[in-house]
């Protein structure tokens, strides 16, 4: 298939909206961290961004669509032979099972497939080799990752991004810059990682805390944990019981996590713990 046909028959299932703007490709390259670390690109597509990345860095690219993989292996034969580009065909999430996408420190730079963008960013935050994340995603999602406490977009994703480092929106991109144009406005998000933290119990706590985002934080927590323990923790941390989840600083969630981890969480949600205890009870009951 030739390039124009690939663009025309873009596969919606894989979130294929190809960036066809030299201006924005240049802007992305300009926003990259100024060092010589390897770059990982997820979804090179037709290779327009890849071409510029390969000029500057050693690149490893993951593409799920077999048609695009064939196209890329021909279009980039030289850089592949020279070892400047390593092309991995297949679903990037399946390559991520071992904890890291690369065996050395790298920057993630990509125009992400929007249907799995949040999942990819969360994995990159937990990947110890990933040093920074520069990705084009849906503007609303970028706003969630980069929101400051008190803003209405501040949510569990903002807390996780702030836990890893600093997140900001570099610029917005209108749908007309893509072929075919997506239905939403896009934005380029940059997360400069300062640390890698991966804790199931912290994520579980955030899911509970932001479960009903417009309700009071204490109420949300009481849906999962004993009321008296939560009241005591709020008192101990001198937290206003009327705070909503988006009004509470990231550092407070870490305090809460330390408190809950000790008292209740210990790596699993209380409901799961109850269910497990009930199953154990049934198993240990003698058969009639
Ligand atoms: N980088 C290209 C550009 O800027 O024009 C294409 C970006 S397009 C928004 C997303 C790309 O991700 C597509 O090429 C799509 O096939 C690829 N993709 C979708 N799901 C993927 C997955 N699970 N693993 C790897 N690549 C994926």
């Amino acid at each position: 298939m030739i390039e124009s046909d690939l663009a025309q028959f873009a596969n919606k299932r894989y979130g294929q909206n190809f960036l066809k703007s030299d201006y924005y490709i240049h802007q992305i390259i300009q926003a990259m961290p100024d060092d010589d670390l390897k770059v990982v690109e997820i979804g090179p597509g037709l290779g327009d961004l890849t071409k510029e990345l390969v000029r500057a860095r050693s690149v490893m690219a993951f593409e799920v669509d077999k048609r695009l993989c064939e196209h890329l292996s021909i279009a980039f034969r030289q850089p592949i032979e020279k070892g400047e580009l390593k092309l991995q065909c297949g679903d990037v999430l399946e390559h991520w099972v071992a904890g890291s996408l690369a065996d050395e420190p790298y920057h993630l730079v990509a125009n992400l497939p929007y249907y799995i963008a949040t999942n990819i960013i969360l994995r990159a935050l937990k990947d110890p080799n990933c040093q920074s994340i520069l990705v084009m995603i849906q503007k609303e999602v970028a706003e969630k990752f980069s929101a400051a406490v008190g803003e209405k977009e501040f949510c569990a994703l903002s807390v996780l991004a702030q836990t890893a480092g600093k997140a900001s929106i570099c610029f917005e991109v209108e749908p007309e810059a893509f072929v075919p144009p997506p239905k939403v406005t896009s934005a380029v998000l940059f997360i400069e990682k300062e640390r890698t933290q991966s804790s199931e119990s912290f994520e579980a706590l955030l899911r509970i805390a932001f479960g009903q985002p417009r309700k009071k934080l204490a109420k949300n927590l009481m849906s999962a944990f004993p009321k008296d323990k939560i009241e005591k923790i709020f008192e101990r941390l001198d937290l206003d019981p009327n705070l909503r989840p988006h009004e509470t600083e990231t550092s407070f969630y870490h305090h809460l996590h330390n408190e809950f981890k000790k008292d209740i969480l210990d790596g699993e949600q209380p409901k799961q713990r109850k269910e497990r205890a009930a199953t154990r009870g049934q198993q240990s009951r003698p058969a009639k």
Side-chain angles (χ1 to χ4, degrees):
M1 246 187 194
I2 58 169
E3 188 171 319
S4 56
D5 286 344
L6 286 166
Q8 197 186 343
F9 298 110
N11 192 335
K12 273 194 192 152
R13 186 160 71 99
Y14 290 140
Q16 290 175 356
N17 301 100
F18 302 108
L19 180 60
K20 285 289 174 192
S21 156
D22 290 342
Y23 172 74
Y24 286 120
I25 289 174
H26 182 70
Q27 294 289 97
I28 293 172
I29 299 292
Q30 289 295 308
M32 276 167 53
D34 189 15
D35 57 31
D36 54 8
L37 287 189
K38 183 191 267 295
V39 162
V40 167
E41 185 189 10
I42 295 175
L46 295 171
D48 295 68
L49 175 60
T50 320
K51 211 187 309 165
E52 297 308 315
L53 292 174
V54 166
R55 262 193 237 279
R57 307 288 178 91
S58 155
V59 179
M60 177 150 70
F62 296 85
E63 176 54 63
V64 73
D65 187 333
K66 282 202 180 91
R67 301 171 314 158
L68 291 175
C69 257
E70 274 169 30
H71 166 76
L72 291 162
S73 52
I74 295 166
F76 287 88
R77 195 170 56 220
Q78 267 198 356
I80 290 172
E81 280 172 4
K82 283 192 201 158
E84 295 162 356
L85 171 66
K86 188 169 175 191
L87 182 62
Q88 304 266 24
C89 297
D91 183 344
V92 70
L93 299 179
E94 285 171 17
H95 285 267
W96 227 322
V97 282
S100 183
L101 268 190
D103 49 16
E104 61 185 292
Y106 72 87
H107 297 297
L108 174 62
V109 182
N111 170 17
L112 287 180
Y114 293 179
Y115 75 106
I116 45 166
T118 300
N119 192 348
I120 287 174
I121 296 170
L122 291 177
R123 287 198 188 214
L125 288 176
K126 290 183 207 167
D127 182 334
N129 280 327
C130 178
Q131 305 297 304
S132 76
I133 301 167
L134 180 67
V135 285
M136 174 101 72
I137 52 177
Q138 190 176 334
K139 183 183 155 199
E140 281 73 20
V141 180
E143 284 172 344
K144 286 184 179 173
F145 275 105
S146 59
V149 67
E151 291 177 354
K152 68 178 190 318
E153 293 82 8
F154 191 78
C155 61
L157 299 180
S158 335
V159 173
L160 291 170
Q162 288 189 0
T163 298
K166 289 192 199 93
S168 57
I169 292 182
C170 302
F171 50 89
E172 292 179 14
V173 182
E174 66 283 356
E176 295 70 36
F178 302 86
V179 176
K183 291 200 173 77
V184 294
T185 299
S186 306
V188 171
L189 170 77
F190 181 57
I191 303 178
E192 189 180 2
K193 279 180 70 183
E194 286 156 3
R195 62 198 80 83
T196 297
Q197 236 187 32
S198 166
S199 157
E200 295 291 323
S201 62
F202 187 55
E203 288 180 21
L205 172 67
L206 293 179
R207 272 195 294 276
I208 294 165
F210 286 90
Q212 303 238 36
R214 299 294 153 232
K215 272 196 178 170
K216 291 178 185 166
L217 171 60
K219 253 227 148 87
N220 285 345
L221 294 170
M222 281 172 199
S223 71
F225 304 119
K227 188 171 181 266
D228 57 326
K229 286 209 169 169
I230 287 163
E231 283 170 350
K232 267 193 209 135
I233 289 169
F234 268 66
E235 254 176 55
R236 224 183 305 153
L237 294 178
D238 200 19
L239 261 186
D240 177 356
N242 293 318
L243 280 178
R244 315 267 157 186
H246 73 285
E247 294 167 329
T248 311
E249 299 273 357
T250 291
S251 57
F252 275 124
Y253 286 105
H254 287 283
H255 279 302
L256 280 177
H257 180 231
N258 287 336
E259 294 294 330
F260 282 131
K261 205 167 45 175
K262 225 185 305 151
D263 293 350
I264 314 167
L265 265 175
D266 209 13
E268 64 182 336
Q269 291 187 30
K271 273 186 191 150
Q272 289 171 324
R273 181 184 295 209
K274 251 190 233 159
E275 280 163 15
R276 208 156 59 88
T279 321
R280 226 186 281 132
Q282 276 167 12
Q283 282 166 353
S284 59
R285 240 173 262 144
K288 286 190 180 160

